Amino acid sequence: MYLVMRIILMMACVFAAIASHGQSITRTPLYQEGFDSGSREWSHVTIDDLGYEAYINQGKYVCRLPENNSMGWAWTFVSLPDRIRQTVDSNSKIDLEFDWTVTSNRDDSRIGLMFDTYNIRDGCPGGDFRAILFEGDGATLETSFSQTMNCNRDLKWIIDGTDTEDRPTNHVKISKDNYTWTVYVNGKNVLDFNYSGSMRLAQLNYGRGTYLVDNISIYRKNLSVAPVASANQQGATTSSSNPRIWILLAGIDNYLYQTPLNYTVNDVRAMYNFWTSASGGRIPRNQIVLLENQEATVDNILRNANRLFSQASQNDIIITFLSGHGGYGSFASHDGTLDYQNLNVIINRSNARKKLCIIDACHSGSFSRKEVLTSRGETLDPDQSVNLFYAALSRSGDGIAYLLACRANQLSVESPELQHGLFTYYFLEGLNGAADTDRDNLITIQEIYSYLARRVPAYEATQNPELQGTYDPTMPLAVIHK
């Protein structure tokens, strides 16, 4: 058995809202710098023997390296404020914008941002840096993504961008979208690249000459979902009918930018087979979307969730099941990082009052009890079991529950022996009957948690599932048939 970056987050969320259709990106300001002369965040540097300076003057940040400095340096750098670095590093979707003006040595200008890959941001030697650089000659501006080892001032070019006009003042926008970076100069797309490793914003790089930096802004990009007609207006199932179940599954073993996993596709295929069986409610195949590996991109997951869940009525239940790598507040899709908040925009705006989100990845109103619906120990045929399942689902309350595969400081495991993630294996085993402790043929959320809390740590002592939230403990997740 070996540990992988996995945790299960299982949410049944309640929000009755307008169904959604269509997606757009909005921006939330996170940082804006007007360069107040009293600012303490920005470095103030003076090195007399070099004439090297960095300071705030008249609402701009001034960086100067004399053309004939005593060390013969072609460029140097100054550390960026912690607030800027932390804002860029901690958000997976941001736009960083700034203006820069060259007031001397414009025919050989150079400015850029340096990113540290070994978390040694402020000292040399020892760093391994990547840099987004802008170099101009007064007529043409070149953009590149470069590398420097141990602060060596001879840079290795990795990717050359598209040349553009070098203006007296240039406006730069650097757009980060998970592992994809896009650079714009004066509104023109000049550079695109993917970088999957650690890349932490560290320093402002500048060459010989005097530079004025101004109008620094950072924006977080948000997914916005536009409302459409509700499911009932579209002729969806009404409350007099059995609830319908809409399910999105995505599992990724093979990634563009992450180490591979082994059994996540097994997990989602097994869940698909369960939900299309009598025990899982015989969900019609046109109400389930299954995405595997390269199909499970950030855009494809969000697009299919939006399309599928906008069809649900208030009487329905929507289920999301994601299996793969994860981090705090995010899930690793095939091509990048999917923020849970963007997925929740779609989930929360669906008309469905019962919402279940199961996320198998690392770092993971009220209810009233209902009477038992069948005699203890009674055996049912498949048709009877399906009828029982939907009757119990209709009677259960709305609410929110979190079923976590492990505590926040724990990892979940994959098991070569079981050919599944450990949580998913016992989750399925419980749904197929092992968790039915009162022998009423229904597997409730409380029963499945009690089963997981017993079986998972018995297999792996460092993994302890948790159940949180306000929920109906009798909410059915499965039904048993003979």
Side-chain angles (χ1 to χ4, degrees):
M1 183 190 311
Y2 53 90
L3 292 176
V4 295
M5 296 289 288
R6 297 166 62 97
I7 187 177
I8 302 287
L9 168 63
M10 178 172 174
M11 306 184 294
C13 329
V14 178
F15 288 94
I18 300 173
S20 57
H21 179 75
Q23 300 169 181
S24 61
I25 297 296
T26 60
R27 301 202 307 173
T28 302
L30 299 178
Y31 180 96
Q32 290 183 310
E33 181 58 75
F35 287 112
D36 183 334
S37 60
S39 173
R40 302 293 184 193
E41 292 186 292
W42 286 80
S43 296
H44 293 246
V45 178
T46 300
I47 302 179
D48 292 335
D49 59 337
L50 288 175
Y52 157 39
E53 295 180 295
Y55 58 92
I56 294 173
N57 183 45
Q58 297 182 348
K60 299 184 188 299
Y61 193 56
V62 182
C63 302
R64 187 173 77 89
L65 178 65
E67 297 174 43
N68 298 312
N69 63 82
S70 60
M71 295 296 290
W73 287 356
W75 60 271
T76 187
F77 60 83
V78 62
S79 296
L80 289 165
D82 285 343
R83 195 152 61 99
I84 288 184
R85 303 196 299 196
Q86 292 167 3
T87 301
V88 171
D89 294 346
S90 63
N91 288 276
S92 62
K93 296 177 181 292
I94 59 98
D95 289 333
L96 168 62
E97 302 187 28
F98 63 94
D99 294 329
W100 60 280
T101 304
V102 187
T103 61
S104 71
N105 198 32
R106 192 177 168 214
D107 60 350
D108 188 23
S109 65
R110 167 178 173 163
I111 197 166
L113 297 178
M114 296 180 70
F115 297 81
D116 180 21
T117 59
Y118 287 144
N119 203 30
I120 308 172
R121 299 186 187 212
D122 299 318
C124 292
D128 178 8
F129 293 94
R130 304 294 185 269
I132 299 174
L133 292 178
F134 308 93
E135 298 176 286
D137 61 9
T140 301
L141 188 68
E142 299 177 353
T143 305
S144 65
F145 180 52
S146 308
Q147 175 183 9
T148 177
M149 296 292 292
N150 297 322
C151 298
N152 186 327
R153 282 164 173 76
D154 293 326
L155 288 172
K156 173 185 176 182
W157 270 252
I158 300 175
I159 301 172
D160 286 326
T162 302
D163 295 349
T164 189
E165 178 188 1
D166 186 11
R167 300 177 183 176
T169 296
N170 292 292
H171 178 76
V172 169
K173 182 173 83 170
I174 299 173
S175 184
K176 171 187 173 186
D177 190 341
N178 300 299
Y179 303 112
T180 299
W181 297 75
T182 305
V183 182
Y184 302 86
V185 174
N186 302 322
K188 179 181 178 181
N189 181 191
V190 295
L191 179 66
D192 299 276
F193 66 91
N194 291 318
Y195 190 84
S196 61
S198 172
M199 200 167 85
R200 299 176 180 273
L201 181 60
Q203 297 144 352
L204 178 67
N205 174 299
Y206 58 95
R208 289 180 288 224
T210 302
Y211 303 83
L212 308 179
V213 181
D214 196 11
N215 299 322
I216 298 180
S217 300
I218 304 174
Y219 301 90
R220 181 175 60 223
K221 296 182 289 186
N222 309 299
L223 176 70
S224 177
V225 182
V228 294
S230 70
N232 285 336
Q233 291 172 323
Q234 296 170 348
T237 303
T238 64
S239 59
S240 62
S241 306
N242 279 339
R244 294 182 300 175
I245 301 176
W246 306 87
I247 302 174
L248 173 68
L249 304 103
I252 306 101
D253 285 337
N254 302 315
Y255 292 84
L256 286 178
Y257 311 117
Q258 297 267 10
T259 56
L261 294 172
N262 297 288
Y263 309 116
T264 59
V265 172
N266 284 4
D267 289 349
V268 293
R269 288 178 180 175
M271 293 308 306
Y272 179 91
N273 291 335
F274 170 78
W275 272 312
T276 54
S277 73
S279 294
R282 278 189 188 150
I283 313 304
R285 296 180 190 274
N286 63 354
Q287 293 171 209
I288 303 181
V289 172
L290 174 61
L291 304 174
E292 300 178 3
N293 291 323
Q294 67 270 17
E295 299 171 336
T297 63
V298 172
D299 180 69
N300 221 15
I301 291 170
L302 293 175
R303 202 160 35 80
N304 277 280
N306 185 51
R307 179 185 62 79
L308 198 65
F309 298 157
S310 65
Q311 301 178 65
S313 71
Q314 293 184 0
N315 196 38
D316 294 347
I317 180 170
I318 61 174
I319 298 174
T320 308
F321 188 101
L322 308 179
S323 183
H325 279 301
Y328 291 99
S330 63
F331 175 76
S333 68
H334 174 70
D335 65 338
T337 301
L338 169 64
D339 289 342
Y340 291 142
Q341 64 179 7
N342 289 336
L343 181 61
N344 281 337
V345 168
I346 295 171
I347 291 172
N348 292 340
R349 289 194 177 183
S350 170
N351 270 4
R353 287 178 176 166
K354 297 182 179 70
K355 301 170 184 180
L356 191 65
C357 186
I358 310 166
I359 301 176
D360 189 344
C362 262
H363 308 299
S364 345
S366 69
F367 290 74
S368 60
R369 290 192 63 87
K370 312 299 176 185
E371 66 275 14
V372 174
L373 299 178
T374 65
S375 301
R376 296 176 185 271
E378 179 182 349
T379 58
L380 307 172
D381 64 30
D383 289 337
Q384 290 175 317
S385 69
V386 170
N387 292 336
L388 171 62
F389 176 77
Y390 281 103
L393 188 60
S394 296
R395 296 170 66 92
S396 67
D398 305 328
I400 180 167
Y402 301 88
L403 183 59
L404 303 150
C406 57
R407 297 169 185 162
N409 62 345
Q410 294 178 331
L411 297 179
S412 187
V413 301
E414 280 191 326
S415 170
E417 177 187 2
L418 303 177
Q419 300 285 293
H420 280 288
L422 183 58
F423 183 96
T424 301
Y425 178 85
Y426 285 117
F427 183 56
L428 278 164
E429 187 173 82
L431 292 178
N432 280 297
D436 187 23
T437 54
D438 62 6
R439 300 177 61 221
D440 69 347
N441 296 309
L442 289 168
I443 311 298
T444 66
I445 191 169
Q446 186 62 50
E447 284 180 317
I448 197 67
Y449 166 68
S450 297
Y451 184 75
L452 290 166
R454 184 175 72 256
R455 294 304 304 270
V456 171
Y459 193 100
E460 173 52 59
T462 62
Q463 183 175 339
N464 301 95
E466 293 185 336
L467 179 61
Q468 303 173 10
T470 303
Y471 55 92
D472 183 345
T474 65
M475 176 182 172
L477 300 182
V479 65
I480 303 167
H481 64 85
K482 63 182 179 180

